[in-house]
Amino acid sequence: MKVIVLENVTKYYSRFKALDGLTFHINKGEKVAILGPNGAGKTTLVKIISGQMRANSGKVEVMGINPAKMSIELRKKIGFVSHNPMLYNELTAYENLKFYSKLYEVDESNINKLLKMVKLYERRHSLVKTFSRGMKQRLAIARALLHDPEILILDEPTSGLDVNGRIELLNYLSKLDKTILLTTHNINEAEKLCDRAIILYGGKIVAECSIHEVEKIYMSKMVSL
């Protein structure tokens, strides 16, 4: 079952073409990396898929719905994690999740379970402003999973983390039974989490491959471009 479908998707910022005719699909349960250097169009792509931005042209469907229509039904099926954890520093970890549970219109009963999963239960009553970068990202994952979404979109979620923080975060993510779309410029992260990769450069897809081939193909493409 195709859960994400793009056909000839283009996005402009004034005269700059950020995405140029992207076509691909992602099946239910797949873990797919969107790889590319800074400026390749990765963040623009996931913002369009998650409904935060509209494409100028082309077809975009997530679970059969156009995300640009801001459907409440679709928002309940998508979890989003970026380098910005989207948390309130003056609230505790528990209070943050309680706030978002009301936004998602879900019961609070799952909060403690999620805090235990990301190993923050013992700090549930601590203010988020006292958390390290890695702790905030783990809490952001809990936030994104509150409504049990079918699709998890991760936009360079390890940005700013140290080596241990990156490893820990990827370990959490690898255990999730979700369709995952990960943007990154780090091949090792893609290899640890994903099944296949789509490589972007200059807003275009320059290659699609299995994760086992990604390092060889990525390096050859970057050298030739």
Side-chain angles (χ1 to χ4, degrees), residues 162-220:
D162 60 22
V163 173
N164 288 336
R166 286 172 185 255
I167 292 171
E168 192 172 56
L169 189 61
L170 290 168
N171 284 340
Y172 286 125
L173 294 171
S174 66
K175 297 172 184 176
L176 298 177
D177 185 21
K178 305 283 182 187
T179 301
I180 290 179
L181 182 61
L182 168 73
T183 75
T184 182
H185 55 264
N186 188 311
I187 294 173
N188 290 333
E189 290 182 5
E191 289 175 328
K192 288 179 181 177
L193 184 60
C194 299
D195 309 309
R196 67 181 176 98
I198 296 169
I199 301 172
L200 293 187
Y201 185 86
K204 296 182 179 181
I205 295 175
V206 295
E208 292 187 55
C209 60
S210 75
I211 210 64
H212 305 295
E213 305 171 288
V214 69
E215 183 172 6
K216 179 181 177 181
I217 292 176
Y218 184 85
M219 296 307 295
S220 67

Side-chain angles (χ1 to χ4, degrees), residues 3-6 9 19 22 24-26 34 41-55 59-63 65-69 74-75 78-80 151-153 181-183 198:
V3 294
I4 298 175
V5 176
L6 277 76
V9 172
L19 299 179
L22 268 62
F24 67 86
H25 70 266
I26 295 174
I34 305 294
K42 303 187 299 296
T43 294
T44 296
L45 174 61
V46 294
K47 283 186 175 180
I48 288 172
I49 292 172
S50 60
Q52 300 176 57
M53 184 181 290
R54 291 175 178 265
K59 173 184 175 181
V60 183
E61 284 189 354
V62 180
M63 305 293 290
I65 300 169
N66 181 351
K69 294 183 177 180
L74 182 57
R75 286 186 176 277
I78 296 175
F80 187 83
I151 300 170
L152 192 59
I153 298 175
L181 182 61
L182 168 73
T183 75
I198 296 169

